[in-house]
Amino acid sequence: MRCPFCKNDDTRVVDSRVADDGQVIRRRRSCNECGRRFSTVETAVLSVVKRNGISEPFSREKVMQGVRRACQGRQVDEDALAKLAVQVEDTVRSSGSAEIPSNEVGLAILGPLRDLDEVAYLRFASVYRSFESADDFQREIDSLRRDRH
């Protein structure tokens, strides 16, 4: 790690702490050249591979945007969306892979969204699973009813 003050490459870690529920490591460092201290924050990069093959970093905000569209007009608050995004990230990170296909992110969204709001779930599932008829909706509604009892 390069010192932000003198640009020296020779620094050492003084202290490390886990933060953000284990997703982030905060390191306190000291420069062996100028003696100044600074902090770094390290996160494991999680990439999402889209259908067209392009890879991009996982984004909780992008998850929230997609779910927010499905929840439009529903009584779902921002805190619930943020919590859902964290659940989705935890699920996809638990796979242990540094790269995950975008369809796995969609699958990870479906479960928590189903618990959050059934109408929003149906909206999201209809797009994600490419529903083509009322029968597709009916099958999904029947599944919701079965699982509720």
Side-chain angles (χ1 to χ4, degrees), residues 12 26 29 42-43 47 53 66 72 74 95 113 139-140:
R12 64 185 170 86
R26 183 177 179 273
R29 295 178 177 269
E42 300 173 17
T43 59
S47 296
Q72 196 168 358
R74 306 290 300 157
S95 74
L113 184 55
R139 275 192 292 279
E140 201 62 41

Side-chain angles (χ1 to χ4, degrees), residues 33-120:
E33 183 68 27
C34 69
R36 295 181 76 181
R37 290 184 174 206
F38 59 98
S39 295
T40 59
V41 177
E42 300 173 17
T43 59
V45 176
L46 178 62
S47 296
V48 177
V49 181
K50 300 172 93 173
R51 287 185 206 136
N52 62 8
I54 293 174
S55 184
E56 64 181 39
F58 176 86
S59 166
R60 286 183 192 172
E61 185 55 41
K62 197 164 182 181
V63 169
M64 288 175 61
Q65 286 173 356
V67 173
R68 192 177 288 121
R69 272 187 300 243
C71 292
Q72 196 168 358
R74 306 290 300 157
Q75 295 293 323
V76 177
D77 66 1
E78 285 296 306
D79 289 342
L81 292 178
K83 185 177 176 183
L84 183 140
V86 169
Q87 285 179 290
V88 170
E89 183 175 10
D90 289 346
T91 299
V92 295
R93 281 193 186 275
S94 70
S95 74
S97 179
E99 283 191 340
I100 53 163
S102 59
N103 69 318
E104 285 189 30
V105 175
L107 289 173
I109 290 171
L110 287 173
L113 184 55
R114 187 176 188 163
D115 296 337
L116 181 66
D117 187 278
E118 290 179 345
V119 173

